[in-house]
Amino acid sequence: MKKVLLFTALALGTTFASAADIKGSGASFPYSVYQSWIKAYHSATQTQVDYVKKGSSSGIKDIKARAVDFAGSDAPLNPNQLEKAKLYQFPAVVGAVVISYNVPNAKDLKISREALAEIALGKVKYWDNELIKKTNPNVDLPHKKLTFVHRADGSGTTFNFTYYLSKISKEWRKSFGAKKSLNWPGDHHIGGKTNTGVAALVKQTPYSIGYIDYADAKNNNLHMAVVENKEGHYIKPELKAFQAAAAKADLDPKKDFYSVIADPAGKNAYPIVAATFILLPKEKAQTNKEVTAFYNYSFKNSAKLATELGFVPLPDSLTDKIRKYWSEKGVM
């Protein structure tokens, strides 16, 4: 009998501990921010939030299956998709996708829009290709085969990068479009799981180039290219350029904030930026309130943590809209 009671107590204890947690999964792009926010929130409230980075596609799959309390996705769902899956959606933070490369003695490499599209299309096979050389006349580029590193898993980072490619290349838009995963063209590419995996591949593969989130590139001390923006200016990947880009974002609560913000106008704007989103199941009002309490706390108290990692916190005007959206949906 004692064994039965002990087992029951342990089982209940486990249940209560699990019920006190908030569990999320999905996009790896904002993972470093969420971990920083989670740590701060736990210190302030003793509430434990778990977030597993596994890519936007897996996050969307998890929330549709109701396997987690919330999901992170860099690829927003449109209002029809949200209605079909019975989900709410709001943005959490804005960040940048950077072009990292592994070429010795090639600092501040400038990559034009044409060169980046041709690299992704598999047409630039060597580092001394004229498209790269003409924007880097003072860089000694070797005749070494170029390896393009991409995501192997379903990825919101890939969605935002290919959305950007669709903006800058008619051929890319016609042949591939914006997708979370695809069969990359050419024979010079390799794939890694999550942004951390792509960063590791770039780091360990001489003469490679790939797209990853800024935080992973910075944490791995990778070179980051200076990228041509919509107005023909070459922009370093740094916070003030990300902020200039984020200022152009149009995120409307009437459309559940559905918007892709890559390739904004503005002479000082970094071109490859992305808002990342949170998905909530409509029927779980009480759990949703626990999730929004975490994000509300982070919006109010942890903006500095985001900027330290190279992300752009949402402006007050937008977080006010998000709180109103939560209130109208009964999840705040």
Side-chain angles (χ1 to χ4, degrees), residues 30 32-45 49 92-94 239 293-316 319 323:
S32 58
V33 177
Y34 292 171
Q35 289 306 299
S36 181
W37 286 356
I38 285 169
K39 186 177 179 182
Y41 190 58
H42 183 260
S43 295
T45 68
V49 181
V93 73
V94 171
L239 184 61
F294 163 59
Y295 280 98
N296 192 37
Y297 178 90
S298 301
F299 290 159
K300 286 181 178 177
N301 303 288
S302 301
K304 185 180 177 185
L305 297 176
T307 58
E308 288 173 352
L309 292 166
F311 285 79
V312 182
L314 303 182
D316 291 343
T319 55
R323 292 187 185 97

Side-chain angles (χ1 to χ4, degrees), residues 203-222:
K203 192 171 186 175
Q204 69 190 40
T205 309
Y207 306 105
S208 63
I209 186 169
Y211 61 92
I212 54 176
D213 70 291
Y214 175 79
D216 272 296
K218 189 176 178 182
N219 290 341
N220 284 280
N221 295 314
L222 296 176

Side-chain angles (χ1 to χ4, degrees), residues 135-156:
T135 54
N136 300 280
N138 298 319
V139 179
D140 185 20
L141 291 165
H143 186 67
K144 295 285 188 179
K145 193 167 184 179
L146 180 152
T147 300
F148 180 68
V149 186
H150 58 80
R151 289 284 292 273
D153 50 339
S155 158

Side-chain angles (χ1 to χ4, degrees), residues 260-321:
V260 185
I261 66 173
D263 203 31
K267 66 178 183 180
N268 298 317
Y270 184 79
I272 320 174
V273 289
T276 190
F277 298 84
I278 298 301
L279 300 168
L280 299 175
K282 287 185 175 181
E283 74 281 5
K284 297 187 177 181
Q286 186 55 44
T287 307
N288 288 341
K289 289 178 181 178
E290 295 176 25
V291 176
T292 59
F294 163 59
Y295 280 98
N296 192 37
Y297 178 90
S298 301
F299 290 159
K300 286 181 178 177
N301 303 288
S302 301
K304 185 180 177 185
L305 297 176
T307 58
E308 288 173 352
L309 292 166
F311 285 79
V312 182
L314 303 182
D316 291 343
S317 58
L318 180 54
T319 55
D320 287 345
K321 290 179 182 177

Side-chain angles (χ1 to χ4, degrees), residues 113 228-234 248 263-269 271:
R113 294 159 79 84
E228 183 184 13
N229 73 5
K230 194 172 190 176
E231 300 186 26
H233 298 277
Y234 283 84
K248 303 293 182 181
D263 203 31
K267 66 178 183 180
N268 298 317

Side-chain angles (χ1 to χ4, degrees), residues 1-242:
M1 184 64 177
K2 285 183 179 179
K3 287 183 179 179
V4 173
L5 289 173
L6 178 60
F7 175 80
T8 304
L10 288 171
L12 286 171
T14 301
T15 301
F16 291 149
S18 296
D21 292 339
I22 305 167
K23 294 181 172 59
S25 69
S28 64
F29 177 76
Y31 180 75
S32 58
V33 177
Y34 292 171
Q35 289 306 299
S36 181
W37 286 356
I38 285 169
K39 186 177 179 182
Y41 190 58
H42 183 260
S43 295
T45 68
Q46 301 304 303
T47 302
Q48 182 65 52
V49 181
D50 294 326
Y51 181 81
V52 179
K53 62 176 178 180
K54 53 201 302 191
S56 296
S57 290
S58 293
I60 292 170
K61 185 177 179 181
D62 283 350
I63 196 67
K64 284 183 175 179
R66 294 337 192 226
V68 290
D69 300 317
F70 70 98
S73 176
D74 306 327
L77 301 186
N78 65 43
N80 289 336
Q81 292 172 314
L82 291 168
E83 181 61 31
K84 185 177 180 181
K86 301 186 185 308
L87 298 171
Y88 297 130
Q89 174 177 262
F90 64 89
V93 73
V94 171
V97 178
V98 301
I99 307 303
S100 283
Y101 59 92
N102 181 347
V103 180
N105 304 316
K107 294 182 179 178
D108 295 329
L109 196 73
K110 291 183 178 178
I111 298 292
S112 68
R113 294 159 79 84
E114 182 182 9
L116 189 53
E118 294 294 292
I119 289 170
L121 284 164
K123 296 182 178 180
V124 173
K125 297 187 180 297
Y126 293 90
W127 276 100
D128 58 352
N129 183 284
E130 285 301 319
L131 279 176
I132 303 177
K133 284 177 65 176
K134 74 178 183 180
T135 54
N136 300 280
N138 298 319
V139 179
D140 185 20
L141 291 165
H143 186 67
K144 295 285 188 179
K145 193 167 184 179
L146 180 152
T147 300
F148 180 68
V149 186
H150 58 80
R151 289 284 292 273
D153 50 339
S155 158
T157 306
T158 297
F159 172 82
N160 281 286
F161 181 62
T162 54
Y163 180 91
Y164 169 74
L165 291 174
S166 297
K167 287 277 191 176
I168 67 174
S169 166
K170 289 181 180 177
E171 182 177 351
W172 184 275
R173 181 167 63 249
K174 183 178 179 181
S175 300
F176 302 101
K179 295 178 179 175
K180 292 193 288 293
S181 63
L182 70 156
N183 292 320
W184 290 86
D187 59 357
H188 67 307
H189 55 82
I190 54 176
K193 286 190 175 181
T194 77
N195 277 284
T196 303
V198 172
L201 281 177
V202 171
K203 192 171 186 175
Q204 69 190 40
T205 309
Y207 306 105
S208 63
I209 186 169
Y211 61 92
I212 54 176
D213 70 291
Y214 175 79
D216 272 296
K218 189 176 178 182
N219 290 341
N220 284 280
N221 295 314
L222 296 176
H223 289 312
M224 291 179 259
V226 180
V227 183
E228 183 184 13
N229 73 5
K230 194 172 190 176
E231 300 186 26
H233 298 277
Y234 283 84
I235 307 297
K236 284 187 176 182
E238 54 190 5
L239 184 61
K240 65 180 181 181
F242 305 157

